[in-house]
Amino acid sequence: MKLFTKLYDMALVWAKHRHAERYLAAMSFAESVFFPVPPDVMLAPMSLAQPKKAWRFASFATIASVVGGIVGYLLGFWLFEPVVEPLIVQMHWQDKFDIALDWFKNYGVWVVFIAGFSPIPYKVFTIGAGVLQMAFLPFLIASAVGRGARFFLVAALMKWGGVKMEQKLRQYIEVLGWAVVLLIAVAYILLR
């Protein structure tokens, strides 16, 4: 079954759409607050489809993501008890959120940078930073550096790899796609 090849081909078509930058910015913003899909899934094919605009795409993703992170921070700071906490309880995510808060207590602003750069859900840490009333400027700097490093790395790899990267990605897309599904399933089981 070639599920991921079809999805990859659709992503390449969307990447050339005239509103692709807006969609990328919206996805980047939403992922920093609530959306589960990372913007890399759109940034990578966009950078492959139009390598001359790769830095522009990474900039859009970074700015929108940091603005979304600010919204997440403000939700945690001002609206945690009436809005966010009931959702965390309803979704049975309290244990995961408590782990994130413990990481903040132990590692401070570095957690925001690591969450911004890695596949760890950045949204949990934007909201957590607000809940703990982390100093805003260090939060903003760590978010910008972490998210920027991640998105510019993705864009650079796609720009640098070009057609060869696209061919290799196409060759291994099914294996990569199913490996990601497996990793998500394992993470879900371990974090339950």
Side-chain angles (χ1 to χ4, degrees):
M1 179 162 91
K2 297 234 176 199
L3 171 71
F4 293 100
T5 302
K6 290 178 184 176
L7 291 173
Y8 177 72
D9 288 339
M10 280 191 336
L12 285 175
V13 169
W14 291 341
K16 293 179 182 178
H17 191 276
R18 64 187 178 110
H19 297 300
E21 289 178 347
R22 293 180 190 165
Y23 299 152
L24 175 63
M27 180 183 253
S28 300
F29 174 86
E31 188 266 341
S32 295
V33 184
F34 66 89
F35 195 61
V37 180
D40 310 61
V41 299
M42 195 164 179
L43 175 61
M46 286 176 69
S47 296
L48 272 173
Q50 300 180 62
K52 290 181 180 178
K53 292 186 175 181
W55 304 135
R56 178 183 169 97
F57 298 149
S59 297
F60 273 103
T62 301
I63 292 166
S65 184
V66 171
V67 171
I70 292 168
V71 171
Y73 179 94
L74 295 174
L75 280 171
F77 193 87
W78 283 323
L79 298 173
F80 182 74
E81 287 182 17
V83 176
V84 180
E85 190 171 34
L87 291 173
I88 290 172
V89 171
Q90 182 181 357
M91 301 298 279
H92 306 288
W93 291 344
Q94 189 63 53
D95 293 341
K96 294 175 192 92
F97 193 71
D98 290 342
I99 290 169
L101 294 180
D102 284 342
W103 287 4
F104 265 113
K105 291 174 185 168
N106 292 327
Y107 306 109
V109 74
W110 289 105
V111 171
V112 176
F113 169 76
I114 291 168
F117 185 75
S118 72
I120 296 171
Y122 176 62
K123 65 193 96 353
V124 172
F125 294 93
T126 64
I127 293 168
V131 168
L132 294 176
Q133 299 182 359
M134 172 185 243
F136 184 73
L137 187 58
F139 165 80
L140 189 62
I141 292 169
S143 292
V145 171
R147 294 311 259 183
R150 174 178 170 168
F151 297 141
F152 277 91
L153 177 63
V154 168
L157 289 172
M158 298 302 113
K159 183 178 173 87
W160 168 71
V163 174
K164 289 180 184 178
M165 178 72 79
E166 196 276 329
Q167 291 169 347
K168 282 292 183 195
L169 213 53
R170 179 172 299 289
Q171 182 181 352
Y172 294 107
I173 195 69
E174 291 298 322
V175 172
L176 291 170
W178 288 112
V180 169
V181 169
L182 180 64
L183 284 172
I184 290 169
V186 169
Y188 177 77
I189 290 167
L190 292 175
L191 295 173
R192 282 181 67 189

